Amino acid sequence: MRYSLIVVILLVLGCQPKHDVPLTFQLNKNWQFKRVTDTVWRSAVVPGNVFSDLLEHNLIEDPFVSDIEKKVQWVSDTEWEYRTFFSLDKGTLSKKNIDLFFEGLDTYAEVYLNNNLILEANNAFREWHIDAKRMLKTKNELRIRFKPTYKFERLEKQKLPYILPEGNRIFTRK
């Protein structure tokens, strides 16, 4: 009985793949952000949001105080860009499959990996899986450009011959 158990264990362990064990990396460190039209990158927190990052750098007043919210409406109407740099070793790059997984992008976003457009997101309530193997290198840049929702909502509204209730936000999954 004891020998049968050892053989079964050896068979099970011997069937394990040696070179393609799944690895997970969190890409939530060393992010930067800026308004698309700016040249200065500032540190950012990911996951997070542009309002928090702007507050952290004293670039806006707290929108939850008094009527400051009215003064910071421009933030939602502006295109923002976030980026991070990361490295991968040759062992990781030799994996058969390498995916990027986004747990949520706040609605309309273009994602670039090493200057290659890999995703055009349009729904804040879904996850995105991207096969990134062919674009990855030892040194990488991941950049996300967030676009204001009003541009897309306006386009969708123009397609309808009637008006929907609740304004244009009805066209966006945000």
Side-chain angles (χ1 to χ4, degrees):
M1 176 74 172
R2 186 185 298 179
Y3 296 108
S4 324
L5 181 59
I6 292 172
V7 171
V8 171
I9 290 172
L10 288 175
L11 282 174
V12 170
L13 292 175
C15 294
Q16 297 295 319
K18 293 180 182 177
H19 300 291
D20 216 15
V21 176
L23 300 172
T24 301
F25 297 99
Q26 297 280 334
L27 295 177
N28 60 351
K29 303 279 189 244
N30 303 315
W31 282 87
Q32 300 172 313
F33 83 109
K34 72 178 184 73
R35 189 181 341 200
V36 167
T37 57
D38 290 347
T39 56
V40 176
W41 290 91
R42 300 175 191 279
S43 62
V45 175
V46 171
N49 65 73
V50 71
F51 285 96
S52 296
D53 292 330
L54 290 167
L55 273 169
E56 180 66 26
H57 290 281
N58 297 313
L59 297 172
I60 61 170
E61 295 179 66
D62 190 336
F64 297 110
V65 174
S66 186
D67 65 346
I68 304 295
E69 180 185 8
K70 294 175 188 174
K71 295 177 186 175
V72 296
Q73 290 300 306
W74 63 271
V75 174
S76 296
D77 294 337
T78 303
E79 284 192 38
W80 297 96
E81 195 165 22
Y82 280 69
R83 75 176 180 186
T84 191
F85 298 93
F86 63 97
S87 299
L88 297 173
D89 61 36
K90 290 182 181 181
T92 301
L93 289 171
S94 70
K95 294 285 187 187
K96 183 178 178 183
N97 299 299
I98 305 176
D99 291 348
L100 286 175
F101 174 62
F102 298 90
E103 292 179 348
L105 295 168
D106 195 354
T107 315
Y108 299 105
E110 294 174 344
V111 179
Y112 296 86
L113 177 59
N114 298 324
N115 290 319
N116 296 297
L117 179 65
I118 61 170
L119 171 63
E120 291 182 273
N122 62 359
N123 186 332
F125 296 108
R126 68 164 287 192
E127 298 173 340
W128 305 90
H129 294 263
I130 307 299
D131 176 4
K133 171 129 176 98
R134 64 184 172 81
M135 288 168 276
L136 287 165
K137 306 172 189 177
T138 53
K139 304 242 181 243
N140 300 279
E141 178 190 34
L142 183 61
R143 197 167 32 90
I144 306 172
R145 186 174 191 164
F146 293 96
K147 300 187 172 212
T149 60
Y150 77 88
K151 292 179 180 180
F152 297 90
E153 293 165 350
R154 215 181 272 158
L155 288 172
E156 291 303 312
K157 180 182 178 180
Q158 291 172 355
K159 293 178 184 177
L160 297 177
Y162 50 85
I163 297 174
L164 291 171
E166 303 301 322
N168 292 349
R169 185 52 72 104
I170 198 164
F171 296 105
T172 299
R173 296 278 301 152
K174 183 172 175 63

